[in-house]
Amino acid sequence: MKSSGVLPIVCQTPEETRQLGQRLGRKLRPLDVVCLAGNLGAGKTTFTEGVARGAGFKGAVMSPSFGLVRPYRAPKLTIYHIDLFRVSDLETGEIGLEDCFGDPNGAVVIEWAGAAKLYLPKDRLEFQIDYFKEGRKISCRALGPRSQDLLRD
Ligand SMILES: Nc1ncnc2c1ncn2[C@@H]1O[C@H](COP(=O)(O)OP(=O)(O)OP(=O)(O)O)[C@@H](O)[C@H]1O
Ligand SMILES: [Mg+2]
């Protein structure tokens, strides 16, 4: 599969991580899928908050761990924030993920996407967030032309 990345970016503060997410959120289109990988507390939700802001969502953004999916409805796009931490492949069948991935007005940002493999499109954007000194190092890979487009300035 064709994939391409960009150089890792170091975000020294949560605000920088949010701003990076915001840049992506401004460009996100319906049916885009963004996967966020990284250890507990790496900054996946912080990044997602930026994405939601960039897409024009004004309300509260928080970890959906217990609800599993939080829809952030902005005027032009709904961002489905999904968190599958400790969710098994079997359980994902009960969450209604097909409604999120199939919403023609929605894009998906997903933390701990492992259990959603069946739902993920081949062409998606994958971020990896790692602890780096006092901040975080964020790397990104586009798995196809559609997601590659999101990385252009
Ligand atoms: N450069 C940074 N970028 C992002 N978060 C940072 C940074 N520096 C410190 N932090 C802090 O790290 C924490 C990141 O929490 P966040 O909930 O975003 O992580 P997460 O990856 O979503 O965790 P989880 O796996 O539990 O869902 C926050 O408390 C945030 O303030
Ligand atoms: Mg989180």
Side-chain angles (χ1 to χ4, degrees):
M1 190 187 304
K2 188 170 176 281
S3 81
S4 56
V6 289
L7 288 175
I9 294 173
V10 173
C11 292
Q12 288 178 330
T13 62
E15 188 49 33
E16 282 182 22
T17 299
R18 266 191 293 272
Q19 279 170 12
L20 191 65
Q22 196 163 350
R23 271 170 55 192
L24 174 63
R26 284 192 209 105
K27 307 185 76 181
L28 223 51
R29 307 146 302 188
L31 302 174
D32 282 331
V33 173
V34 179
C35 296
L36 305 179
N39 286 335
L40 280 176
K44 302 179 293 296
T45 297
T46 304
F47 182 90
T48 306
E49 187 179 353
V51 174
R53 294 276 169 270
F57 179 72
K58 309 277 187 224
V61 172
M62 61 190 82
S63 175
S65 289
F66 301 104
L68 302 172
V69 181
R70 290 178 64 88
Y72 304 132
R73 299 193 193 283
K76 290 188 187 150
L77 186 69
T78 298
I79 306 281
Y80 292 99
H81 182 190
I82 303 171
D83 187 327
L84 299 182
F85 182 60
R86 291 197 174 149
V87 174
S88 71
D89 292 25
L90 278 177
E91 286 166 320
T92 54
E94 293 158 25
I95 302 170
L97 289 185
E98 52 285 335
D99 295 341
C100 307
F101 285 93
D103 181 349
N105 299 308
V108 169
V109 179
I110 180 164
E111 304 184 33
W112 304 101
K117 280 192 280 299
L118 282 175
Y119 299 86
L120 299 178
K122 277 189 187 159
D123 190 344
R124 60 187 188 266
L125 212 48
E126 293 196 334
F127 285 87
Q128 170 74 41
I129 308 181
D130 294 306
Y131 287 79
F132 181 75
K133 299 183 183 167
E134 285 80 43
R136 305 289 192 269
K137 190 172 77 179
I138 303 183
S139 341
C140 178
R141 229 158 46 108
L143 299 190
R146 179 191 172 90
S147 44
Q148 178 68 41
D149 237 24
L150 293 167
L151 299 181
R152 296 210 177 87
D153 277 331

